[in-house]
Amino acid sequence: MVKQTEEMKMSVRQKQKMTPSEAIVETLVAENIKEVYGIVGSAFMDMLDLFPAAGIRFIPVRHEQSAGHMADAYERVSGTAGVIVGQNGPGVTNMVTSVAAANQAHSPMVVISPSAGTNSIGLDGFQEANQVSIFQDITKETVRVTNVNRVADNLRTAFRIAYAERGPVLFDIPRDLFYGELEDVILKPNQYRVDKRGIGDQNSIEKAVELLKNAKKPVIISGRGTVDAGGVDTVVNIAEHLTAPASTAYMHNDAFPADHPLAVGPIGYMGSKAAMYTLKEADVVLAVGTRLSQFGTLPCYDIDYFPKNAKIIQIDINPRQIGRTHPVEVGIIGDAKAASDEIYRQLQSALPSSEKDTGRMQVVGNRKKEWEQELIDLAMEDGNPINPRRALLELTKAMPENSIVSTDIGNVSSTANAYLKFNHPRRHIAALTFGNTGFAYPAALGAQLADTDAPVFAIIGDGAWGMSLHEVSTAVEQNIPVVACVFNNKSWAAEKKNQVDFYDDRYVGSDISAPEFAEVAKSMGALGYTIEKAEDIAPVIKEVLEKRKPAVLNIYVDGTQLAPPFRKDALKMPTRFLDKYKHLDFNEWGK
């Protein structure tokens, strides 16, 4: 009894005297934060000074937007929340775009946001901005430090919400509150947040099992929630048990192994026709860990594929996403893996001797072969100098199987959706539905830091490269061996395609003149290659992977071979009423 009492006393940690900066850094250490991204600033320098001794690596970027993209991708690969920091005012506001992107991507992130000192708030002081109001609509929560004694508690709250609601949280602290002293206890994460979410409502699980048991043509859509929860293997088990073809949600091509016989590929813009035709005929859809985004389920290739009468079972950790875009028959609020595990367990009892539907597997196999051949045929059409699809085909063939690939937004980058295949989770890092350019390269840097052994490639158009090439300096300085594959068609090609189809080939603002990117890369200390022949891609990839240094591949591709418009659903043929613009009316074309 005495021994037990002594152990209990030892287990109760006493409050310690520390500075607010120390409380912040020790909380980061407790949360297993190894890297923080940003640009050095006086506002948080007292905290920054502690990083080396704490074992935290500060990654100095060239623009704070890049910090957010790096942290976003780091979390997607590692599962550990990304952390970014910037100078109050312009440093923090520079992060708006990347934080908004992480918010739509559901990536846990903590934004350490130093703000104006308490003695100058509201006086329009140097670098003052109301950062809390700016970030309220693009974060899950804004947590404001109002008392120095609450610093650690407020930061714990930020991490708790970031993980619980899957997204960024702003931790706003007046810059003078990094200084002073307090007494507090640094808690372990399990003392203030819970990661396990459970299976959801048991009755809903049973209804889902009943629907799946009786389904004639069930189809699975696996999304990022499946990846985050570590549930891909369970979804594979369900697919095999039901002989259910499995597609992946838009730009989450790593949510089901592509080499599996039941894999049909991604849905969404420039996805897989095999997936679309298969989903179109489904009578029951099991959507695991996906919000079934509006843009990610739009018709593509003129195929209106999302089923209108299928009964949808949707599993999502966030109740706001259930039935948000498509009406559901059964909604399950729960962890993607836990809920899938329970569904699989019950299915084994409900269908103990489920036989493979060989006829359906043959149909699926034939669709996949036809689609694969179509992709190859499209790629092998001549281009000047290279058909962009051919470049994508050669690139994906040359990548090792364990490669991580980030993709930007844009015509070629989005076409990559059809060509990118992954057999393991946490390999595909895409810009997703926020759709901002300049995402892929800093994201690739963050992914490489999360998995230092994996080959990491960024697929980027030359327009987006103009927004991110400055981070080559970061890659060189920090020795991050990412391979930037810049598809150079000398245009903002996604917008140019709109001008081709809707504006009678009138190009305003879509043509780009740029320096030779390979030479720019060399001047920054990276490897640089100019590629104008498709057959040169594989040897260059082999060489850069052997050298294991930051590299930039400037791949010249045909600017006339363009994918369909992104927003075909939102564009209309132009009409003009004023006489001075009448010649631009689509009814006047060709006259």
Side-chain angles (χ1 to χ4, degrees), residues 544-567:
V544 297
L545 292 180
E546 288 172 351
K547 291 185 175 181
R548 206 70 179 131
K549 291 180 62 179
V552 175
L553 281 53
N554 185 24
I555 307 171
Y556 282 106
V557 296
D558 195 318
T560 67
Q561 294 173 310
L562 301 172
F566 257 98
R567 299 307 313 275

Short mmCIF file of all heavy atoms in Angstrom, two decimals, residues 544-567:
data_model
loop_
_atom_site.label_atom_id
_atom_site.label_comp_id
_atom_site.label_asym_id
_atom_site.label_seq_id
_atom_site.Cartn_x
_atom_site.Cartn_y
_atom_site.Cartn_z
N VAL A 544 19.01 11.32 -61.66
CA VAL A 544 18.77 12.21 -60.51
C VAL A 544 18.52 11.41 -59.24
O VAL A 544 18.90 11.84 -58.14
CB VAL A 544 17.62 13.20 -60.77
CG1 VAL A 544 17.97 14.11 -61.93
CG2 VAL A 544 16.30 12.51 -61.00
N LEU A 545 17.89 10.24 -59.36
CA LEU A 545 17.66 9.42 -58.18
C LEU A 545 18.97 8.86 -57.64
O LEU A 545 19.13 8.70 -56.42
CB LEU A 545 16.68 8.28 -58.49
CG LEU A 545 15.23 8.70 -58.77
CD1 LEU A 545 14.37 7.48 -59.05
CD2 LEU A 545 14.65 9.50 -57.60
N GLU A 546 19.91 8.59 -58.52
CA GLU A 546 21.22 8.12 -58.07
C GLU A 546 22.01 9.24 -57.39
O GLU A 546 22.71 9.01 -56.40
CB GLU A 546 22.01 7.57 -59.26
CG GLU A 546 21.48 6.24 -59.79
CD GLU A 546 22.16 5.81 -61.07
OE1 GLU A 546 22.93 6.63 -61.65
OE2 GLU A 546 21.94 4.66 -61.51
N LYS A 547 21.89 10.46 -57.90
CA LYS A 547 22.63 11.59 -57.31
C LYS A 547 22.00 12.09 -56.02
O LYS A 547 22.68 12.70 -55.20
CB LYS A 547 22.71 12.73 -58.33
CG LYS A 547 23.60 12.39 -59.52
CD LYS A 547 23.77 13.58 -60.46
CE LYS A 547 24.74 13.25 -61.57
NZ LYS A 547 24.96 14.38 -62.51
N ARG A 548 20.69 11.86 -55.88
CA ARG A 548 19.96 12.21 -54.64
C ARG A 548 20.20 13.65 -54.22
O ARG A 548 20.56 13.96 -53.10
CB ARG A 548 20.37 11.25 -53.54
CG ARG A 548 19.32 11.06 -52.44
CD ARG A 548 18.12 10.31 -52.92
NE ARG A 548 17.13 10.13 -51.84
CZ ARG A 548 15.85 10.39 -51.95
NH1 ARG A 548 15.35 10.83 -53.08
NH2 ARG A 548 15.02 10.20 -50.95
N LYS A 549 19.97 14.55 -55.17
CA LYS A 549 20.07 15.98 -54.92
C LYS A 549 18.81 16.67 -55.47
O LYS A 549 18.12 16.11 -56.32
CB LYS A 549 21.31 16.56 -55.62
CG LYS A 549 22.64 16.13 -55.03
CD LYS A 549 23.80 16.75 -55.79
CE LYS A 549 23.79 18.27 -55.71
NZ LYS A 549 24.95 18.88 -56.43
N PRO A 550 18.49 17.87 -55.00
CA PRO A 550 17.36 18.60 -55.58
C PRO A 550 17.56 18.75 -57.08
O PRO A 550 18.66 19.09 -57.54
CB PRO A 550 17.40 19.95 -54.87
CG PRO A 550 18.13 19.71 -53.60
CD PRO A 550 19.14 18.64 -53.92
N ALA A 551 16.51 18.50 -57.85
CA ALA A 551 16.62 18.53 -59.31
C ALA A 551 15.38 19.17 -59.92
O ALA A 551 14.27 19.06 -59.39
CB ALA A 551 16.81 17.11 -59.86
N VAL A 552 15.62 19.82 -61.05
CA VAL A 552 14.53 20.43 -61.81
C VAL A 552 14.60 19.91 -63.24
O VAL A 552 15.63 20.06 -63.91
CB VAL A 552 14.62 21.97 -61.81
CG1 VAL A 552 13.54 22.57 -62.72
CG2 VAL A 552 14.48 22.51 -60.38
N LEU A 553 13.51 19.28 -63.68
CA LEU A 553 13.41 18.78 -65.05
C LEU A 553 12.48 19.71 -65.82
O LEU A 553 11.28 19.78 -65.54
CB LEU A 553 12.85 17.36 -65.07
CG LEU A 553 13.77 16.19 -64.75
CD1 LEU A 553 14.50 16.36 -63.43
CD2 LEU A 553 12.99 14.88 -64.75
N ASN A 554 13.04 20.45 -66.75
CA ASN A 554 12.25 21.36 -67.58
C ASN A 554 11.83 20.59 -68.83
O ASN A 554 12.60 20.45 -69.78
CB ASN A 554 13.08 22.60 -67.94
CG ASN A 554 12.27 23.63 -68.69
OD1 ASN A 554 11.05 23.67 -68.59
ND2 ASN A 554 12.95 24.47 -69.46
N ILE A 555 10.60 20.07 -68.81
CA ILE A 555 10.12 19.18 -69.87
C ILE A 555 9.24 19.99 -70.81
O ILE A 555 8.12 20.41 -70.44
CB ILE A 555 9.33 18.00 -69.27
CG1 ILE A 555 10.15 17.28 -68.20
CG2 ILE A 555 8.91 17.03 -70.37
CD1 ILE A 555 9.37 16.25 -67.41
N TYR A 556 9.72 20.23 -72.02
CA TYR A 556 8.93 20.99 -72.99
C TYR A 556 7.87 20.10 -73.61
O TYR A 556 8.17 19.04 -74.16
CB TYR A 556 9.84 21.57 -74.07
CG TYR A 556 10.59 22.80 -73.62
CD1 TYR A 556 11.95 22.74 -73.34
CD2 TYR A 556 9.94 24.01 -73.46
CE1 TYR A 556 12.65 23.87 -72.91
CE2 TYR A 556 10.62 25.15 -73.03
CZ TYR A 556 11.98 25.06 -72.76
OH TYR A 556 12.64 26.18 -72.32
N VAL A 557 6.61 20.52 -73.50
CA VAL A 557 5.50 19.74 -74.03
C VAL A 557 4.65 20.60 -74.96
O VAL A 557 4.73 21.83 -74.95
CB VAL A 557 4.62 19.15 -72.90
CG1 VAL A 557 5.40 18.16 -72.05
CG2 VAL A 557 4.04 20.26 -72.02
N ASP A 558 3.86 19.94 -75.76
CA ASP A 558 3.03 20.59 -76.77
C ASP A 558 1.93 21.41 -76.10
O ASP A 558 1.14 20.88 -75.32
CB ASP A 558 2.42 19.53 -77.69
CG ASP A 558 1.84 20.11 -78.97
OD1 ASP A 558 1.20 21.18 -78.90
OD2 ASP A 558 2.03 19.50 -80.04
N GLY A 559 1.87 22.69 -76.40
CA GLY A 559 0.86 23.57 -75.81
C GLY A 559 -0.48 23.52 -76.49
O GLY A 559 -1.42 24.23 -76.06
N THR A 560 -0.61 22.72 -77.54
CA THR A 560 -1.90 22.61 -78.23
C THR A 560 -2.65 21.34 -77.85
O THR A 560 -3.83 21.20 -78.18
CB THR A 560 -1.71 22.62 -79.76
OG1 THR A 560 -1.01 21.44 -80.17
CG2 THR A 560 -0.93 23.85 -80.19
N GLN A 561 -1.97 20.42 -77.18
CA GLN A 561 -2.61 19.16 -76.77
C GLN A 561 -3.09 19.32 -75.33
O GLN A 561 -2.34 19.08 -74.38
CB GLN A 561 -1.62 18.00 -76.93
CG GLN A 561 -1.25 17.74 -78.38
CD GLN A 561 -0.15 16.70 -78.52
OE1 GLN A 561 0.88 16.77 -77.88
NE2 GLN A 561 -0.36 15.72 -79.40
N LEU A 562 -4.34 19.72 -75.20
CA LEU A 562 -4.86 20.13 -73.90
C LEU A 562 -6.03 19.27 -73.46
O LEU A 562 -6.83 18.81 -74.28
CB LEU A 562 -5.29 21.60 -73.95
CG LEU A 562 -4.20 22.61 -74.34
CD1 LEU A 562 -4.81 23.99 -74.54
CD2 LEU A 562 -3.11 22.65 -73.28
N ALA A 563 -6.13 19.07 -72.16
CA ALA A 563 -7.25 18.33 -71.57
C ALA A 563 -8.51 19.20 -71.59
O ALA A 563 -8.43 20.41 -71.79
CB ALA A 563 -6.90 17.94 -70.14
N PRO A 564 -9.68 18.60 -71.37
CA PRO A 564 -10.93 19.37 -71.36
C PRO A 564 -10.91 20.46 -70.29
O PRO A 564 -10.13 20.39 -69.34
CB PRO A 564 -12.00 18.31 -71.03
CG PRO A 564 -11.38 17.01 -71.42
CD PRO A 564 -9.92 17.16 -71.17
N PRO A 565 -11.75 21.47 -70.42
CA PRO A 565 -11.78 22.56 -69.44
C PRO A 565 -12.10 22.04 -68.03
O PRO A 565 -12.89 21.11 -67.88
CB PRO A 565 -12.90 23.48 -69.94
CG PRO A 565 -13.08 23.13 -71.37
CD PRO A 565 -12.73 21.69 -71.50
N PHE A 566 -11.48 22.65 -67.04
CA PHE A 566 -11.76 22.34 -65.65
C PHE A 566 -13.23 22.55 -65.33
O PHE A 566 -13.89 21.72 -64.74
CB PHE A 566 -10.94 23.27 -64.74
CG PHE A 566 -9.74 22.62 -64.14
CD1 PHE A 566 -8.50 22.80 -64.69
CD2 PHE A 566 -9.86 21.84 -63.00
CE1 PHE A 566 -7.39 22.22 -64.14
CE2 PHE A 566 -8.75 21.25 -62.43
CZ PHE A 566 -7.51 21.44 -63.00
N ARG A 567 -13.70 23.74 -65.64
CA ARG A 567 -15.03 24.16 -65.22
C ARG A 567 -15.99 24.23 -66.39
O ARG A 567 -16.67 25.22 -66.58
CB ARG A 567 -14.95 25.51 -64.49
CG ARG A 567 -14.11 25.50 -63.23
CD ARG A 567 -14.50 24.39 -62.25
NE ARG A 567 -15.93 24.30 -62.01
CZ ARG A 567 -16.56 25.05 -61.10
NH1 ARG A 567 -15.90 25.90 -60.37
NH2 ARG A 567 -17.86 24.93 -60.91
#
